Amino acid sequence: MTTKKEQRRIRIKYRVRNKISGTAERPRMSVFRSNKQIYVQIINDETATTLVAASSLGMEAMPKKEQANKVGEEVAKKAMEAGITAVVFDRNGYLYHGRVKEVAEGARKGGLKF
């Protein structure tokens, strides 16, 4: 049973996903936010493979916004090592605010373009 808030996020998620998809040249950077952690994946939708992933597991000592920023920087560093410089940002139905925004800013600071 999903709540009204979850149903709204899922509806937004599918609306956004109809418009964007990751390619080999510009993969999709997907953000998942739980109450305690934040997870980021860079995905090539053509081959349905995850190219790079990072999460906030093990960073529980710092505030959540700082965790999100560090995860953004970490995923950007891993992406640069894998030869990825440009991505399409998928906020996954979440508002571009708070931790989701911090992930994006951290990734930009790390050198990713989107």
Side-chain angles (χ1 to χ4, degrees), residues 70-88:
K70 294 277 186 211
V71 169
E73 290 177 14
E74 184 181 334
V75 79
K77 187 180 104 183
K78 288 181 179 180
M80 292 296 179
E81 290 171 1
I84 300 165
T85 57
V87 295
V88 178

Side-chain angles (χ1 to χ4, degrees), residues 21-29 42-47 49 51 79-80 82-89 112-114:
S21 72
T23 62
E25 300 82 40
R26 238 180 122 156
R28 176 171 57 96
M29 182 173 142
I42 296 184
I43 304 163
N44 179 354
D45 288 316
E46 293 172 339
T47 58
T49 55
L51 307 172
M80 292 296 179
I84 300 165
T85 57
V87 295
V88 178
F89 190 72
L112 281 180
K113 292 183 176 38
F114 52 93

Side-chain angles (χ1 to χ4, degrees), residues 21-58:
S21 72
T23 62
E25 300 82 40
R26 238 180 122 156
R28 176 171 57 96
M29 182 173 142
S30 179
V31 176
F32 176 75
R33 176 181 61 105
S34 72
N35 286 337
K36 293 185 179 182
Q37 307 293 339
I38 194 149
Y39 306 88
V40 180
Q41 291 182 315
I42 296 184
I43 304 163
N44 179 354
D45 288 316
E46 293 172 339
T47 58
T49 55
T50 298
L51 307 172
V52 176
S55 72
S56 63
L57 292 171

